[in-house]
Amino acid sequence: MKTALLSSNCPFAIVLWTTLLVVGCSDPAQQSQEVVVGSHLLISHPVSQASEAELFKGEPVTIEPSEEFYLEYALGSGDDGYDILKVHGDGASLYTYWDKGAEKLRQAKEEFTLDPDQVKAICDKINQSQIVTLGDEYLADVPSGKQIALTIVSGDYEKEVYCDSHFPPPVVELANYLEVSVIPKKE
């Protein structure tokens, strides 16, 4: 059968085979795409695995600012290290990042405090992006790439999403907001 598909004796099979390849490649879910997260240009590859719970099946969850609120956002890779943002419900925040502008690569930390309106804006963006409807893992089958990990805690509710080289739109939306509007600008 393989011989028939590749044989010049069967031109219809060659056309059919080519058409199937073109149709398969035109599916956006099966193509790599560039996505922008703050100043980072990431490649989102086709997902090879996703958790079984693609959609949240329980009661709708609304994330509200409170003392129990906590957000952890990490972007990076095993090769380059991770930049990590931690935000607590009282606004206490810590950004740990790899200072690539220093003479020698080093990890730097920046502590800062967000006001209650900024914490509420983060919760609003979490709700707007619908992160809570996502599965827990999105994994592309590539040898190396970037990862984004999110942990959101609100009261008794906890949501974690881990993306390895595949970034669903809600993750990109929230990550871009955090990079642009929350993380302090590096001098």
Side-chain angles (χ1 to χ4, degrees):
M1 180 102 174
K2 284 183 181 179
T3 307
L5 286 175
L6 300 176
S7 166
S8 61
N9 296 334
C10 188
F12 175 72
I14 293 170
V15 171
L16 179 61
W17 181 254
T18 305
T19 303
L20 289 174
L21 288 174
V22 171
V23 170
C25 290
S26 66
D27 180 4
Q30 297 301 318
Q31 294 179 348
S32 297
Q33 300 175 357
E34 293 181 341
V35 294
V36 176
V37 174
S39 63
H40 307 277
L41 180 62
L42 307 177
I43 305 298
S44 185
H45 298 280
V47 68
S48 60
Q49 294 181 3
S51 73
E52 294 177 18
E54 282 297 313
L55 297 175
F56 183 73
K57 304 229 188 288
E59 291 294 317
V61 175
T62 302
I63 306 300
E64 297 288 341
S66 68
E67 288 183 18
E68 294 85 22
F69 173 76
Y70 175 74
L71 167 82
E72 184 169 313
Y73 158 72
L75 170 65
S77 71
D79 295 334
D80 300 325
Y82 295 89
D83 295 344
I84 302 170
L85 170 68
K86 297 177 181 182
V87 177
H88 296 271
D90 63 0
S93 303
L94 175 64
Y95 182 55
T96 306
Y97 62 97
W98 289 96
D99 187 357
K100 296 171 177 78
E103 280 184 36
K104 184 176 182 182
L105 184 63
R106 65 179 180 88
Q107 199 169 34
K109 293 183 181 186
E110 197 163 332
E111 292 183 49
F112 58 101
T113 303
L114 299 172
D115 65 44
D117 289 339
Q118 291 170 306
V119 175
K120 182 176 180 343
I122 292 171
C123 292
D124 290 346
K125 185 52 81 172
I126 291 168
N127 294 324
Q128 178 187 10
S129 69
Q130 300 183 355
I131 287 286
V132 299
T133 66
L134 293 179
D136 297 337
E137 290 184 328
Y138 294 86
L139 310 173
D141 190 18
V142 295
S144 65
K146 296 289 185 183
Q147 293 88 43
I148 292 178
L150 288 161
T151 300
I152 299 163
V153 177
S154 181
D156 293 337
Y157 177 78
E158 182 173 337
K159 176 66 178 175
E160 293 182 348
V161 179
Y162 175 72
C163 303
D164 185 354
S165 301
H166 178 81
F167 311 103
V171 170
V172 172
E173 181 181 349
L174 179 59
N176 187 58
Y177 176 79
L178 296 172
E179 290 281 343
V180 171
S181 301
V182 178
I183 293 174
K185 305 296 180 245
K186 297 173 216 138
E187 302 298 321

